[in-house]
Amino acid sequence: MRKPITILVSIDSNSILLGARHFKNYLINRLEHYNLTELVDVLETGSLGRYDQGVLFLLLPDNKMYGIKDTNDIELFVEEQLLKGRPVKELIVEEIQTPKSVEAKRVTEEERIVLKRAGKIDPKNIEEYIAFDGYQGFAKALEMKPSEIVNELKASGLRGRGGAGFPTGLKWEFTMNVNAPEKFIICNADEGEPGTFKDRLIMEGDPHSVIEGMLIAGYTVGASKGYVYIRGEYFESVDNLRNAIAQAYEYGLLGENILDSGFSFDLTVRLGAGAYVCGEETALIESIEGKSGRPRLKPPYPPVKGLFQKPTVVNNVETFASVPAIVLKGAEWFKSFGTPSSPGTKVFSLCGNLVRRGIVEAPMGTTVADLIFKYGGGIEGGKMLKMVQTGGAAGTFIKADEINIPLDFDSFKNHGASLGSGVILAIDDSHCAVDVALNLMEFFAHESCGKCTPCREGTRLIVNILREFSKGRGTLEMLDNLYDISYTMQNSAFCGLGQSVPVPLTSILDRFRDEFEAHIGADTCPVGVCRFDKKKKKARK
């Protein structure tokens, strides 16, 4: 029998680091102490979308979201809210408390397709997933011809949500049309870019949506085996996926002759070692095969020759999680969100110097300004916005006066801003452009697999030059060298890693060149971040 009060505790890797499981157990202890266990259910759920308020407790049916930072907050919550029925205003997350406020738009106007169950269901309970239309898209797919599913996806305009944006229906069609006795489906869950965490929270909050998308893909292209390739550091995601896969087998949704359809599909999780380059699909395939994770020469492409040289569909987590709703509700429904050329919604990772950091799902074409100020609550600490990096580590930097750019698949071509994997990294005016560039390029240099000279040596040279600037030893000639190296890498690097490095580098050089030049011949960093070498030689003009 359902109890009058339910408390959903956000249990994901971010919240766990903030003490979520300890707080949950402490809450249960206090409920037992006050003899409230017959009245209150305490359940786990996935991410509730933000982390700036501590661990989130969602109180139902009141729909109040509490931010818990220590056990004293729990004592206050239990004694005031649960025992006396008096809301604890200082603990309530603002947009839930005041639904008519501007800040409330983050919740009331957020359109959710991929995240519609996140924060509402227990991700470890398949029955709760099924209760929210779970596996209905797959059931409908089994009644359709594979070509009909492909046509529906093509009509929907769904494009890969991992960054490249290749049309999903077209990719599946390539693999479907290859005549081969064995084919594979791979979910790319190797989310390795700094600031990108939306796929992790999807897997932690709604793992069955990924499984259902992969089942539909397997049925469509004629594959009988799937792999979820996930980085080994994603402990909570791995546990949730393995649990979800076991439940799907138990309910007859994986394995032989699924739902008496004649379709069979097996699924397993493969752990990666955390190499950023394994986000590139052929490097990922090499890793699954037990080889060093380095990219292959293309063509042939994976839809024709992928895993074990068999036709293979590779999509990322968010893409697979988008598929069931499209199959269930149709292409026209999906196209009612977003823009004509970029339909649907996108899950964005909001990070950096924002008041509200976390994830948000918004229609394609949402502006950077809305993501920062409407959904992200603006810049923390009353500071000024200086720059925004959009699209992830390989994305572009834009200045504060450019944030009215809409983010969709045409944004880079039309406005010079990348949609990429959906990262919005807000950087305030206390940061130095040189230091930001150096930090980012050190990441790329560390993650280069070393297979090709342009990337292996190019990233190292870029880091060395930027270190000179950070010590006050840069020159104008060095700035020219950065552009030359970028051009060489963009046109000759073997894979997307090396080819994408110039995108963030040249964008920050173009927009903040004055800050780089201000490091030449100066005694101190203009922002006070870089530590200049007092013994530096006089810079050449």
Side-chain angles (χ1 to χ4, degrees):
M1 184 176 180
R2 185 173 180 178
K3 298 178 183 179
I5 299 174
T6 299
I7 300 171
L8 297 179
V9 182
S10 178
I11 301 288
D12 55 81
S13 51
N14 295 55
S15 299
I16 289 170
L17 291 173
L18 295 173
R21 288 226 160 90
H22 170 64
F23 291 161
K24 175 197 168 188
N25 293 335
Y26 190 86
L27 173 63
I28 292 172
N29 176 272
R30 302 322 293 159
L31 294 177
E32 291 173 350
H33 175 77
Y34 288 109
N35 295 317
L36 293 173
T37 53
E38 296 300 317
L39 299 175
V40 182
D41 260 332
V42 179
L43 304 175
E44 294 186 4
T45 190
S47 170
L48 289 168
R50 57 185 293 188
Y51 306 104
D52 55 287
Q53 297 293 321
V55 176
L56 298 183
F57 287 4
L58 181 58
L59 178 68
L60 300 175
D62 292 21
N63 203 35
K64 290 186 176 68
M65 191 184 293
Y66 281 85
I68 305 297
K69 296 181 180 178
D70 54 43
T71 53
N72 291 330
D73 290 344
I74 298 177
E75 293 281 1
L76 191 59
F77 170 72
V78 173
E79 292 174 6
E80 292 294 315
Q81 175 68 71
L82 299 183
L83 285 175
K84 301 175 184 177
R86 299 191 301 214
V88 188
K89 293 183 178 181
E90 61 267 33
L91 297 181
I92 296 176
V93 176
E94 186 175 358
E95 72 266 11
I96 301 299
Q97 180 190 10
T98 56
K100 294 182 180 179
S101 67
V102 174
E103 292 82 359
K105 293 182 179 180
R106 181 183 185 280
V107 172
T108 59
E109 292 187 6
E110 189 176 340
E111 301 287 358
R112 290 193 163 199
I113 295 174
V114 174
L115 299 176
K116 67 179 181 179
R117 301 179 190 89
K120 295 181 179 179
I121 67 170
D122 180 352
K124 295 185 177 180
N125 188 333
I126 189 173
E127 293 183 357
E128 293 193 18
Y129 178 77
I130 292 172
F132 275 80
D133 296 329
Y135 292 106
Q136 293 301 306
F138 174 55
K140 182 179 178 182
L142 292 177
E143 299 174 353
M144 302 169 66
K145 296 178 180 178
S147 59
E148 292 175 334
I149 299 172
V150 164
N151 290 337
E152 196 72 25
L153 288 178
K154 289 167 70 175
S156 74
L158 176 66
R159 294 167 65 173
R161 296 309 200 235
F166 192 84
T168 304
L170 191 59
K171 178 183 285 190
W172 290 19
E173 186 176 47
F174 289 153
T175 306
M176 180 184 70
N177 289 337
V178 177
N179 185 14
E182 189 175 22
K183 300 177 183 180
F184 296 100
I185 306 296
I186 296 177
C187 176
N188 183 350
D190 189 72
E191 194 173 43
E193 285 191 322
T196 309
F197 48 86
K198 47 97 178 174
D199 284 351
R200 169 168 57 82
L201 296 184
I202 293 169
M203 291 183 288
E204 290 176 356
D206 193 14
H208 283 282
S209 65
V210 182
I211 296 172
E212 184 174 4
M214 295 181 72
L215 278 165
I216 294 172
Y219 171 75
T220 302
V221 306
S224 59
K225 178 70 177 179
Y227 295 91
V228 180
Y229 183 86
I230 184 170
R231 54 184 41 242
E233 306 98 310
Y234 277 14
F235 304 115
E236 197 71 18
S237 298
V238 171
D239 288 347
N240 281 9
L241 278 168
R242 285 176 169 165
N243 176 74
I245 289 170
Q247 289 180 334
Y249 273 109
E250 181 182 347
Y251 277 67
L253 294 165
L254 285 172
E256 296 294 322
N257 191 25
I258 300 170
L259 301 179
D260 294 323
S261 64
F263 168 62
S264 301
F265 192 79
D266 289 301
L267 186 59
T268 189
V269 173
R270 286 292 177 91
L271 302 185
Y276 172 63
V277 72
C278 286
E280 197 277 337
E281 59 183 6
T282 61
L284 179 156
I285 288 171
E286 290 282 293
S287 181
I288 292 178
E289 292 180 357
K291 305 170 188 173
S292 177
R294 292 181 172 180
R296 295 176 179 175
L297 182 65
K298 296 182 289 188
Y301 294 94
V304 178
K305 284 190 176 182
L307 185 63
F308 305 120
Q309 300 301 309
K310 307 293 184 180
T312 305
V313 166
V314 184
N315 283 122
N316 86 315
V317 169
E318 186 182 350
T319 309
F320 278 123
S322 301
V323 168
I326 295 174
V327 174
L328 183 62
K329 298 184 179 181
E332 291 304 314
W333 167 82
F334 187 74
K335 289 164 67 176
S336 68
F337 303 94
T339 69
S341 60
S342 299
T345 60
K346 180 77 184 76
V347 182
F348 293 93
S349 305
L350 307 182
C351 56
N353 302 126
L354 290 173
V355 172
R356 291 194 290 267
R357 295 176 292 276
I359 55 172
V360 62
E361 186 171 357
M364 283 282 198
T366 299
T367 65
V368 178
D370 276 350
L371 290 166
I372 290 174
F373 292 101
K374 185 169 82 173
Y375 298 111
I379 307 304
E380 64 180 350
K383 296 181 180 180
M384 297 295 293
L385 178 67
K386 180 173 184 174
M387 68 179 85
V388 182
Q389 188 179 27
T390 66
T396 50
F397 287 93
I398 59 175
K399 300 181 82 169
D401 59 2
E402 299 176 284
I403 60 173
N404 286 317
I405 292 173
L407 286 179
D408 54 32
F409 289 112
D410 300 321
S411 58
F412 184 79
K413 178 178 67 177
N414 296 335
H415 306 287
S418 302
L419 173 66
S421 60
V423 174
I424 299 295
L425 172 62
I427 301 172
D428 66 31
D429 56 1
S430 67
H431 295 271
C432 171
V434 172
D435 185 65
V436 170
L438 173 59
N439 184 276
L440 182 60
M441 292 302 122
E442 285 177 336
F443 165 77
F444 282 119
H446 179 269
E447 294 298 332
S448 174
C449 75
K451 181 169 185 172
C452 74
T453 302
C455 180
R456 182 184 67 246
E457 299 302 319
T459 52
R460 181 181 62 83
L461 289 172
I462 289 170
V463 167
N464 288 342
I465 291 173
L466 291 175
R467 283 176 179 165
E468 291 296 294
F469 272 93
S470 72
K471 296 175 182 178
R473 299 198 298 240
T475 67
L476 290 176
E477 182 181 2
M478 289 179 179
L479 280 180
D480 292 336
N481 287 343
L482 287 175
Y483 281 102
D484 290 341
I485 297 168
S486 296
Y487 177 83
T488 300
M489 291 181 64
Q490 194 165 31
N491 289 279
S492 60
F494 189 81
C495 81
L497 191 157
Q499 294 165 14
S500 64
V501 169
V503 174
L505 179 61
T506 57
S507 68
I508 199 169
L509 287 174
D510 289 343
R511 288 173 168 87
F512 296 91
R513 185 182 177 94
D514 58 338
E515 201 159 313
F516 283 82
E517 291 181 350
H519 281 64
I520 299 174
D523 293 325
T524 59
C525 168
V527 188
V529 174
C530 302
R531 296 185 178 182
F532 276 20
D533 186 346
K534 294 180 179 180
K535 298 180 180 180
K536 69 180 189 298
K537 296 179 180 179
K538 186 177 180 180
R540 288 180 290 172
K541 300 293 182 183

